[in-house]
Amino acid sequence: MADNAIAGYADALYAVAAADNALSTVEDELFRFSQALNSDENLQTTLDDSSLPVERRQQIVEDLLGGSASLTTKALVSMIVASGRSSRFSSIVDAFIERSAASRNKTVATVRSAIELDDTQKDRLVAALNGATNKDVEIKVVIDPSVIGGLVTEIGDDIIDGSVRRRLNQLRENFR
Amino acid sequence: MRRRGTKLCFSLLLAITGMLFFAAPASAAGASIGSCIVEKLEHIAEEGHHDDGHDDHGVEHLFHSLHAKDGATEEEKKKVKKNEDKLESCLEAPSPIIPELSEVIWGGGAFLILFVVMVKKGFPAVKAAMDARSEKIRDDLDAAEKAKTDAQSVHADYEARLADAKNEASRLIDEARGAADQVRADLVAKAEADISEMKSRAANEIEASRQQAIADLRAEVAGIALGAAEKVVQGSLDDDAQRRLVDQYIDEVAGS
């Protein structure tokens, strides 16, 4: 899918969420669903299977989100699945989050961590990233056990990797 | 040549005819013994008539001249003896060495005629035949000499060609030997180069295999060690340690 298409879908999501005045809620729900989708290949394959009826795939989305998501979020996810763009769902959501953050003059940073961060750590991390990038950063935390320990932060094309996984990989390279 | 032979045969026939012609009168001379006796007897009769002056008959007188009477004198006996010798001389054979004069004459004449004929006719023919024979022999000798010269020339040419062939063969053998030596040297050099290259390649392959084995072993050991280390780290990372790592990360980002 071309970047223009991704941006178009992101703009559409942004327009719908803004119209419902639920940008923050929709962002969080879509981001979590995106992370869940990335970690489950079977779900990706099922939602991307064109041989299944669209209604069946939409029903799967409805069942997954259930009552844990707003109607707007469910409608948007169902719209993307019905349009056959579920394979690029993550990209569309990332573009939507960036679009939404940009509307607030903020930059989104994706933080992967092995544990859940408390609010103090999040505030300190936001302040540290603001100082390091000279931007008004907004973070999205992803729990990723493969990190083992520490954090990995992605801001645009920049990656700040302070994970135990990286140190172990460096150690592995040194052995070769 | 045929004409010369005809002339020679004619000359021989003429010589044989002349000899037969002139031999007949010569042989007739030997048949005159009777006339010799008659002649002797007439001579004896005349002598007796003159010497004695007797008027005897001739036959009686001839008898007395050839037969001495009893009581005849010695002179009469000698005379009788002399007359007997004269008659016996007619009976004597001619000399085996000295021919009769007539034979000498006839023989000499025939010889002269034959000699002249031979000189005039036979000798030129014989001479011509001899000359022709000599000429033929000379030609044959010349031809033989020429053939000998040709044979010598051919022999010399053969010898020269044989020598050339030997030289060519020797040159070819030398060239072949040189080429064979060169080929052998090239093959030996190539074999040595191949062996050296194979040794070098084998050594490189062995070294590469050794390095690969070391790398594989090291990677295997590293994998095992890192797997163990990862488990140890994961086991040792409790909640406090995780939070310390997060705080340490935040501090590093803030201090960068």
Side-chain angles (χ1 to χ4, degrees), chain B residues 198-245:
Chain B
M198 290 172 65
K199 284 183 177 178
S200 176
R201 191 185 304 137
N204 291 336
E205 289 178 354
I206 290 170
E207 180 63 19
S209 298
R210 193 174 71 87
Q211 294 295 336
Q212 184 62 40
I214 292 172
D216 292 344
L217 183 61
R218 182 177 295 168
E220 187 71 19
V221 171
I224 294 171
L226 288 172
E230 189 172 321
K231 289 180 180 178
V232 170
V233 168
Q234 284 178 334
S236 63
L237 284 178
D238 54 9
D239 193 59
D240 292 339
Q242 289 281 8
R243 296 199 176 281
R244 282 198 299 272
L245 285 174

Side-chain angles (χ1 to χ4, degrees), chain B residues 64-182:
Chain B
H64 288 300
S65 299
L66 294 174
H67 183 73
K69 294 178 293 187
D70 295 338
T73 64
E74 192 68 27
E75 188 180 352
E76 289 174 343
K77 289 182 179 178
K78 287 184 180 177
K79 189 177 289 184
V80 170
K81 179 63 174 166
K82 183 181 176 184
N83 289 334
E84 287 177 355
D85 292 339
K86 286 182 179 177
L87 290 175
E88 287 178 354
S89 66
C90 288
L91 298 175
E92 288 181 352
S95 174
I97 297 174
I98 301 173
E100 291 293 329
L101 182 59
S102 62
E103 290 182 357
V104 171
I105 293 171
W106 284 106
F111 175 75
L112 287 176
I113 292 170
L114 185 58
F115 180 77
V116 169
V117 169
M118 291 299 290
V119 167
K120 292 294 186 184
K121 299 294 183 181
F123 182 71
V126 171
K127 187 173 184 302
M130 291 299 291
D131 289 344
R133 181 69 177 166
S134 298
E135 186 66 23
K136 183 175 181 302
I137 290 172
R138 191 177 299 109
D139 291 343
D140 291 343
L141 286 173
D142 291 342
E145 186 67 23
K146 186 175 182 301
K148 182 182 176 181
T149 304
D150 292 343
Q152 288 177 344
S153 175
V154 170
H155 180 70
D157 184 56
Y158 168 76
E159 291 287 345
R161 290 188 180 187
L162 186 62
D164 290 342
K166 285 182 178 178
N167 291 333
E168 184 67 13
S170 176
R171 187 180 65 80
L172 290 175
I173 289 171
D174 291 341
E175 287 183 0
R177 187 178 289 118
D181 292 341
Q182 184 62 40

Side-chain angles (χ1 to χ4, degrees), chain A residues 114-118 121 124-125 128-129 132 148-153 160-162 164-165 167-168 171-172 175, chain B residues 218-219 221-223 225-227 229-230 233-234 237 239 242-254 256:
Chain A
I115 59 171
E116 192 71 44
L117 301 183
D118 58 27
Q121 288 176 321
R124 288 183 60 220
L125 180 58
L129 290 174
I148 299 177
L151 300 173
V152 179
T153 303
I160 305 170
D161 193 347
V164 175
R165 166 64 58 194
R167 294 177 185 175
L168 287 173
L171 193 61
R172 190 186 303 275
F175 271 107
Chain B
R218 182 177 295 168
V221 171
L226 288 172
E230 189 172 321
V233 168
Q234 284 178 334
L237 284 178
D239 193 59
Q242 289 281 8
R243 296 199 176 281
R244 282 198 299 272
L245 285 174
V246 171
D247 292 338
Q248 182 179 353
Y249 174 85
I250 292 170
D251 293 339
E252 288 176 356
V253 172
S256 63

Side-chain angles (χ1 to χ4, degrees), chain A residues 47-66:
Chain A
L47 294 181
D48 200 34
D49 188 358
S50 59
S51 63
L52 285 176
V54 174
E55 293 78 8
R56 173 68 180 145
R57 285 182 278 170
Q58 288 174 325
Q59 185 61 47
I60 293 172
V61 172
E62 291 284 342
D63 294 342
L64 284 174
L65 294 177

